[in-house]
Amino acid sequence: MGAEAVTSSQGTVDRKKDEQRGKNLSVGSIIDRVSWLANLIASVLILMVALAVCYESGKRYFFNAPTEWVMSLSMLAFTWFPFLSAAYGIKTNRHIACDVFISRAAPRTRALLGVATDLTALLYILGLGVYGYKEFLDAYGLGAMSSGTLRYPLWIVRVIFPIGMLLCLLQMLRKIGLRITTLYDGRLEKNAGAARSAKLMLALYLVNLAVAVWVLSVNMPVGIMVMTLTILLWGVPIAFGLGAVGVFGLLFFHGSISGLYTIPIVAEKTVSHFVLLAIPLFSLGGVILGKSGLGERIYDLSAKWLAWLPGGLGVATCITGGILAAMIGSSTAVTAIVTLVAMKPLLDRGYSKTMVIGTVTGTSLGLIIPPSIGFIVYGFLTDTSVGALFMAGFIPGAMLVAMFSVYVIVTCIITGKYEKMHFSWPQRLRSLKSSFLILLGPIFVLGSIYSGLATPTEAGAILVIYSLFCAIVYKQMTVKDFVDCLMESSAISTMILMIMIGALTMANVVTLLQVPSNLAELIVSAELSTFSLIVILIVFYMILGMFLDGGSITVLTVPVLAPMLSSLGIDTVVFGVVLMMLIETALLTPPVGLNLFTVQGIVDEPLITIIKSTLPFVAILLFATVLCLVFPKLSLWLPSLLMNY
Amino acid sequence: AAAETIKLTFATTLSPKSTIEVAAKRYADIIGEKTDGRIKITHYGGGSLFNAKDLIPALAKNQVNMAVHHVAMVGRRSSVLEFIASFGAQGCWSSFDHYYRFIDQPEVRAIADAEFDKYFNAKLLGMLAYGTSMFASGDKAIKTVEDFKGWKARSSGTAQAALYKALGAVGVEMSAKELYTALQRGTIQGCSTGTSRVRRARLYEVAPYVTIDPTVPFMTFWLVINKDVWNKLSSEDQTLLMEQARAIEAWTREYAAKERQEDIDFIGSKAKIVYDMTSEEKQKLVAVARPAMMAFSKKQLGDKYQLLWDLLDKAK
Ligand code: NA
Ligand code: NA
């Protein structure tokens, strides 16, 4: 405990020092400013795309006159987006890493290991940059054109690979430089023991990496697995780490450095998918709504109408979570808002701390209730209609809200730890009036998808415009807040997109090695019962969920599992819903559980208290997962009713 | 001494069990058998390795050694190959056999081979038969050339747009995946799309008036190998790969025809009408289409324009 306190205070000192140094060091601060500016440009591009896409859907719907330029230019902006903003992610440490083990090490060890893991990440950054540059030259020389109605030279797309990776390279070198100066500036423990253990850990990492390379040369599939574990568990940022595994795999499989051409091909494939444009759009809309006070209003509304029930405020919290999830595409964002708005009123009304923490943490259904960034990624990976997935998530999501609510009511009746409240009808109607505008949000967004007026991507654009409208009407946002929203949401989306590109590079090698088809044959030939299959799946995802975030889990496992779903007798859409439930569960399980960390960051309770409080909700989620696997109709009924899925 | 084993990777991008996927697997197996496993081709089917679009640069850069390239993706880069694949001369084929006679001419093969060499860093092995199209319509059957006038239908690609314009139909660009919903809501009246898609996507439910499309014959998908890999093979191996590619080509023609007939029979049991145009109307359609397609291809084909149209006429 004491050691951790030292660590964290040292961390703060580090950061302050770094900031100062950033101001003094001219080259470094220029790099920082360029990254900041590039990220701002990236997010403004997305904002403009949102406006253009809305204009396009309106023009098509009302005047039956689609434009030729909107789709093409939006796609161009989107291909530039993650590469412009990736370096800012490095600067602000947004690229998540699996650092459960590393974070426990002493500062000197962390700094030294950080240099090594950053250099590992650079392997991939260089691979994408250099071979992206070659692809750019190729397109330029051949005069290759893009596809689509409005065609432009392909080199305009590819030129962003070397530019973006150059920015990442500079930012990474700056980070490494800062780590090295930290090592030598004498603030760290000076004793010989600390220095020795730092060097020992570094040697361990290098030996581990060497062993992984050796295994790769003996047996590639096993080697890929060993290398993935090595690189992730030693704390290389996931996006670049998976890419680095891909680099090693491609080199070994093709037996030549020209195997790295796959990296820019995969990157281009990923960012030229229209449906993925929905990720930055939903993310921007969600961040703006969160900052314009929607959480408070929705909570006020549900509380006024439900507080008369036993455990009514708890139920109101569950409902608030559900309504927010119907506008926000990520789970962690919903959890953060619910915790901020519902925590205090619940504690004030005598609800037990366990119940309160459990409810605010557990009611995160952002990925199951549409819109969902998870479904967008899954739909892209499995070539499934994102619209169908969105519809499929609705009933299971509503079912979970109901199950959570029943649990809250029953527990509150048993423990008696709650306080009923009564509000008059004028009060209720006033709360309805004040949140009416926000309630229209899900109706607009989901309605436009369900009625077929808009594709999920266009719905994302509608959400952005709608959130801007709410922000203006409720007057809760300053210009600075707005810029923060832009910067934050683009950093979040880029992190997801970069993880996808890295993981897909690795997935290319895994496919070359025929791992999915061999695995499927193995499982099918083992003739497991449906029940044992379900158990294996759940255990498998629970284990992954202990160490990885939802996005990484999806991109790592779906390309391997999706091809075998049909032989296992599981529908692709149903599996998508089940996967989102398992990921929501993973977000609630230690040691890596983003939602746990989010709540801990707000309530300042020990992690163990939060984990214990959340357990009943984890159990309900797992129960619902089994229900969805056993009764596919729960997911499939709505898509089959509305869109002939 | 025993010759060295050659390992090749081979990617395709169509739906499992379709003619091309079955043919690709078969080709890989036959080559393995004929060489007693000396040449081992690993087939990655169904777009598991690259999708249709990425496969073009991936093969050119030898990230995969062999591929079946998609008619539309190839057509985008080479108008000559779009023409040879039948798509750039829509409505100009008097029968399926006319098209096969056209592509079986050595001159046509030589032109296609040179295009793959120039733009795709690839050697052409074979021209696989994919399948045919039909017109599916929601509110009326297309029986005569007159019926196309004002018909609002999904078109795909610039060549088809030119044909629609000549027929007086209104072409709307949209993704094939949106067809069902668009037909259901009346966004479009109909579409020209693959016979197997009409069946598998149950388009006959929302577009029950089906006309067998005489304008698009069995389109060609391209069986190719990376040029550097090809050049490293011994001449015996090259001959074997080439001969077996021609054999599999013949096999796809039979298999695709059988599959097409099954699809048409199935659709016939579900749709309101499966109409086959009279030969008189078919000739009328060619008469309207031909000048339009010639005008369309004039700029695109450049110096190959006259040669290709002559070869098309020679095959009649
Ligand atoms: Na959501
Ligand atoms: Na977890």
Side-chain angles (χ1 to χ4, degrees):
Chain A
M1 193 64 218
E4 267 176 31
V6 170
T7 310
S8 62
S9 71
Q10 195 88 43
T12 336
V13 175
D14 278 355
R15 239 172 288 136
K16 280 190 186 142
K17 259 270 170 107
D18 290 350
E19 277 164 26
Q20 267 175 5
R21 203 179 287 121
K23 278 179 192 134
N24 301 338
L25 257 179
S26 59
V27 179
S29 64
I30 289 171
I31 294 174
D32 283 350
R33 272 170 214 170
V34 171
S35 300
W36 186 89
L37 186 67
N39 187 48
L40 185 67
I41 294 172
S43 54
V44 170
L45 280 178
I46 290 301
L47 187 64
M48 281 160 43
V49 165
L51 294 169
V53 169
C54 271
Y55 169 77
E56 153 88 15
S57 348
K59 205 156 169 264
R60 198 190 51 207
Y61 181 62
F62 295 110
F63 305 104
N64 200 13
T67 63
E68 285 198 339
W69 54 274
V70 167
M71 289 303 148
S72 305
L73 288 188
S74 301
M75 279 318 297
L76 184 57
F78 177 59
T79 52
W80 275 54
F81 168 75
F83 300 100
L84 276 176
S85 104
Y88 180 77
I90 297 176
K91 174 184 179 287
T92 51
N93 281 323
R94 285 296 189 137
H95 293 286
I96 44 171
C98 172
D99 55 3
V100 251
F101 303 114
I102 299 310
S103 60
R104 281 155 205 265
R108 178 176 293 275
T109 310
R110 271 187 294 141
L112 197 60
L113 266 178
V115 173
T117 51
D118 285 350
L119 285 171
T120 314
L122 272 186
L123 283 178
Y124 170 71
I125 291 174
L126 284 173
L128 179 51
V130 170
Y131 282 83
Y133 178 66
K134 288 183 179 218
E135 283 283 89
F136 152 72
L137 286 183
D138 243 34
Y140 190 79
L142 277 172
M145 300 296 281
S146 74
S147 51
T149 38
L150 180 83
R151 294 187 172 197
Y152 44 81
L154 212 49
W155 66 262
I156 299 182
V157 171
R158 292 182 181 167
V159 74
I160 198 61
F161 299 154
I163 294 176
M165 289 305 108
L166 182 66
L167 284 176
C168 285
L169 171 71
L170 293 173
Q171 197 70 61
M172 202 59 118
L173 288 177
R174 167 157 167 72
K175 203 169 161 191
I176 292 172
L178 288 173
R179 286 193 203 274
I180 292 174
T181 24
T182 317
L183 278 173
Y184 288 99
D185 76 355
R187 278 184 297 112
L188 296 179
E189 337 75 316
K190 260 291 167 44
N191 63 70
R196 210 167 36 236
S197 74
K199 279 179 191 153
L200 184 69
M201 289 295 273
L202 176 67
L204 262 178
Y205 172 63
L206 295 177
V207 168
N208 198 339
L209 207 55
V211 167
V213 172
W214 175 74
V215 178
L216 201 57
S217 70
V218 178
N219 181 320
M220 281 205 68
V222 179
I224 290 286
M225 210 171 84
V226 174
M227 181 154 270
T228 310
L229 287 175
T230 305
I231 284 188
L232 291 188
L233 294 184
W234 283 91
V236 182
I238 293 174
F240 307 124
L242 295 179
V245 177
V247 166
F248 282 109
L250 287 168
L251 286 176
F252 273 90
F253 188 91
H254 292 288
S256 136
I257 188 131
S258 68
L260 300 189
Y261 269 114
T262 292
I263 302 174
I265 294 176
V266 168
E268 190 174 329
K269 157 185 163 171
T270 312
V271 291
S272 45
H273 242 263
F274 189 64
V275 73
L276 293 183
L277 175 55
I279 293 178
L281 292 174
F282 277 116
S283 153
L284 178 59
V287 171
I288 295 176
L289 280 177
K291 288 227 170 128
S292 46
L294 111 147
E296 289 85 348
R297 283 167 205 271
I298 297 286
Y299 183 68
D300 181 58
L301 174 76
S302 3
K304 293 260 160 65
W305 288 74
L306 294 167
W308 57 273
L309 279 166
L313 278 188
V315 176
T317 310
C318 298
I319 305 265
T320 305
I323 297 178
L324 290 178
M327 276 177 276
I328 294 175
S330 105
S331 174
T332 311
V334 173
T335 305
I337 300 177
V338 171
T339 310
L340 283 170
V341 300
M343 189 86 189
K344 197 170 170 304
L346 282 168
L347 288 174
D348 288 351
R349 299 290 161 197
Y351 287 77
S352 76
K353 206 199 284 174
T354 327
M355 170 55 98
V356 174
I357 294 178
T359 313
V360 296
T361 319
T363 54
S364 54
L365 299 170
L367 291 175
I368 301 169
I369 297 177
S372 152
I373 288 176
F375 279 142
I376 298 170
V377 173
Y378 180 82
F380 164 74
L381 292 172
T382 56
D383 207 12
T384 313
S385 153
V386 174
L389 287 165
F390 276 12
M391 289 176 211
F394 193 80
I395 289 177
M399 178 181 87
L400 273 163
V401 172
M403 288 163 85
F404 289 157
S405 303
V406 168
Y407 165 76
V408 169
I409 294 175
V410 170
T411 323
C412 283
I413 291 177
I414 292 171
T415 63
K417 286 190 177 171
Y418 67 94
E419 194 178 301
K420 275 192 202 175
M421 291 165 78
H422 288 276
F423 293 97
S424 65
W425 279 100
Q427 279 175 312
R428 288 180 183 175
L429 291 175
R430 224 174 299 130
S431 72
L432 184 62
K433 196 181 149 212
S434 112
S435 55
F436 183 71
L437 185 60
I438 279 178
L439 285 178
L440 287 179
I443 297 171
F444 271 149
V445 173
L446 300 185
S448 64
I449 299 175
Y450 289 173
S451 64
L453 292 184
T455 63
T457 310
E458 290 166 332
I462 294 172
L463 181 73
V464 171
I465 305 302
Y466 178 75
S467 68
L468 286 173
F469 180 68
C470 285
I472 292 167
V473 170
Y474 291 138
K475 292 182 190 129
Q476 281 193 348
M477 193 181 289
T478 63
V479 173
K480 193 190 165 292
D481 288 341
F482 181 63
V483 173
D484 286 348
C485 285
L486 287 177
M487 296 297 280
E488 189 188 332
S489 71
S490 62
I492 296 170
S493 327
T494 293
M495 185 191 80
I496 298 169
L497 290 168
M498 291 308 285
I499 289 179
M500 290 185 68
I501 297 172
L504 288 174
T505 309
M506 190 187 114
N508 183 278
V509 180
V510 173
T511 309
L512 278 171
L513 298 170
Q514 294 181 288
V515 174
S517 43
N518 292 342
L519 205 60
E521 261 170 47
L522 191 77
I523 294 181
V524 171
S525 64
E527 288 178 1
L528 297 167
S529 68
T530 318
F531 177 76
S532 41
L533 257 176
I534 292 175
V535 172
I536 291 174
L537 267 180
I538 291 180
V539 171
F540 173 67
Y541 275 99
M542 292 296 284
I543 293 173
L544 283 182
M546 286 182 178
F547 303 101
L548 293 172
D549 69 291
S552 311
I553 294 174
T554 310
V555 277
L556 273 178
T557 59
V558 168
V560 182
L561 286 179
M564 60 175 93
L565 286 177
S566 63
S567 48
L568 299 179
I570 302 175
D571 183 90
T572 319
V573 167
V574 173
F575 187 70
V577 173
V578 166
L579 181 63
M580 288 314 128
M581 291 189 160
L582 289 169
I583 287 174
E584 290 283 11
T585 316
L587 290 168
L588 299 175
T589 55
V592 177
L594 274 183
N595 289 1
L596 295 175
F597 298 160
T598 309
V599 174
Q600 193 198 15
I602 300 170
V603 304
D604 202 26
E605 288 281 338
L607 198 58
I608 189 72
T609 313
I610 300 173
I611 293 166
K612 278 185 190 156
S613 316
T614 316
L615 274 180
F617 291 85
V618 169
I620 294 173
L621 267 168
L622 286 178
F623 177 64
T625 310
V626 175
L627 278 186
C628 282
L629 272 170
V630 179
F631 303 107
K633 274 268 174 217
L634 282 173
S635 315
L636 293 178
W637 182 71
L638 206 53
S640 70
L641 180 76
L642 290 172
M643 61 178 294
N644 171 52
Y645 172 77
Chain B
E4 208 183 326
T5 312
I6 300 169
K7 284 185 181 172
L8 298 173
T9 51
F10 178 23
T12 54
T13 58
L14 287 121
S15 55
K17 292 177 191 161
S18 65
T19 307
I20 303 277
E21 292 288 322
V22 179
K25 171 117 191 5
R26 214 179 143 86
Y27 183 69
D29 290 346
I30 290 174
I31 298 292
E33 279 164 28
K34 297 260 176 198
T35 58
D36 286 328
R38 190 175 50 80
I39 300 183
K40 185 177 182 304
I41 301 179
T42 310
H43 174 225
Y44 302 91
S48 57
L49 199 56
F50 291 104
N51 66 29
K53 195 173 145 206
D54 319 319
L55 192 51
I56 307 263
L59 185 104
K61 295 290 183 225
N62 206 17
Q63 306 301 290
V64 60
N65 309 129
M66 299 171 72
V68 174
H69 277 340
H70 192 289
V71 57
M73 302 301 151
V74 167
R76 215 178 258 171
R77 204 180 266 204
S78 156
S79 299
V80 169
L81 290 175
E82 184 176 39
F83 187 96
I84 295 176
S86 88
F87 216 63
Q90 290 182 47
C92 305
W93 308 96
S94 42
S95 67
F96 296 155
D97 284 337
H98 174 201
Y99 176 64
Y100 285 144
R101 282 194 299 273
F102 168 73
I103 57 172
D104 285 341
Q105 300 173 95
E107 297 95 318
V108 173
R109 299 261 164 178
I111 296 171
D113 196 52
E115 289 285 304
F116 273 104
D117 187 82
K118 192 171 166 194
Y119 296 112
F120 298 85
N121 192 33
K123 170 77 187 167
L124 175 62
L125 293 174
M127 300 172 69
L128 307 184
Y130 173 62
T132 62
S133 299
M134 41 179 40
F135 294 119
S137 181
D139 48 3
K140 62 168 187 183
I142 300 286
K143 293 187 174 173
T144 64
V145 175
E146 279 300 304
D147 290 333
F148 284 103
K149 293 235 158 69
W151 191 55
K152 196 168 161 191
R154 177 241 183 185
S155 70
S156 107
T158 45
Q160 197 159 60
L163 175 68
Y164 276 30
K165 206 174 158 199
L167 291 168
V170 183
V172 181
E173 286 269 349
M174 64 170 60
S175 146
K177 280 186 194 160
E178 294 169 44
L179 275 178
Y180 190 96
T181 331
L183 285 164
Q184 190 178 35
R185 298 212 164 86
T187 318
I188 49 172
Q189 281 172 282
C191 61
S192 163
T193 192
T195 306
S196 72
R197 185 188 293 279
V198 174
R199 176 179 178 177
R200 315 265 170 241
R202 289 179 285 155
L203 296 182
Y204 51 79
E205 290 175 2
V206 284
Y209 300 94
V210 174
T211 302
I212 294 172
D213 183 348
T215 64
V216 182
F218 287 91
M219 285 177 290
T220 290
F221 276 55
W222 309 92
L223 174 59
V224 293
I225 183 167
N226 176 278
K227 208 163 69 185
D228 309 325
V229 174
W230 174 257
N231 289 336
K232 278 189 203 132
L233 294 175
S234 69
S235 63
E236 293 80 35
D237 286 346
Q238 288 183 345
T239 313
L240 175 76
L241 285 185
M242 202 56 106
E243 274 173 3
Q244 291 308 317
R246 289 307 285 260
I248 208 74
E249 204 179 297
W251 183 87
T252 55
R253 288 183 191 182
E254 271 179 42
Y255 192 88
K258 203 179 86 205
E259 211 182 29
R260 171 180 179 269
Q261 199 49 55
E262 277 175 19
D263 287 344
I264 290 178
D265 292 344
F266 178 86
I267 295 164
S269 71
K270 301 279 180 183
K272 285 197 180 140
I273 287 186
V274 173
Y275 188 77
D276 200 356
M277 280 190 176
T278 64
S279 54
E280 195 187 337
E281 280 304 319
K282 284 179 189 170
Q283 276 166 20
K284 264 198 217 164
L285 198 143
V286 173
V288 179
R290 178 157 174 140
M293 294 320 284
M294 286 185 82
F296 167 77
S297 63
K298 180 131 198 171
K299 202 171 70 193
Q300 314 237 344
L301 295 177
D303 61 345
K304 300 281 187 321
Y305 169 77
Q306 199 54 52
L307 179 58
L308 282 170
W309 280 100
D310 286 348
L311 286 166
L312 182 146
D313 284 338
K314 212 172 123 192
K316 261 182 188 163

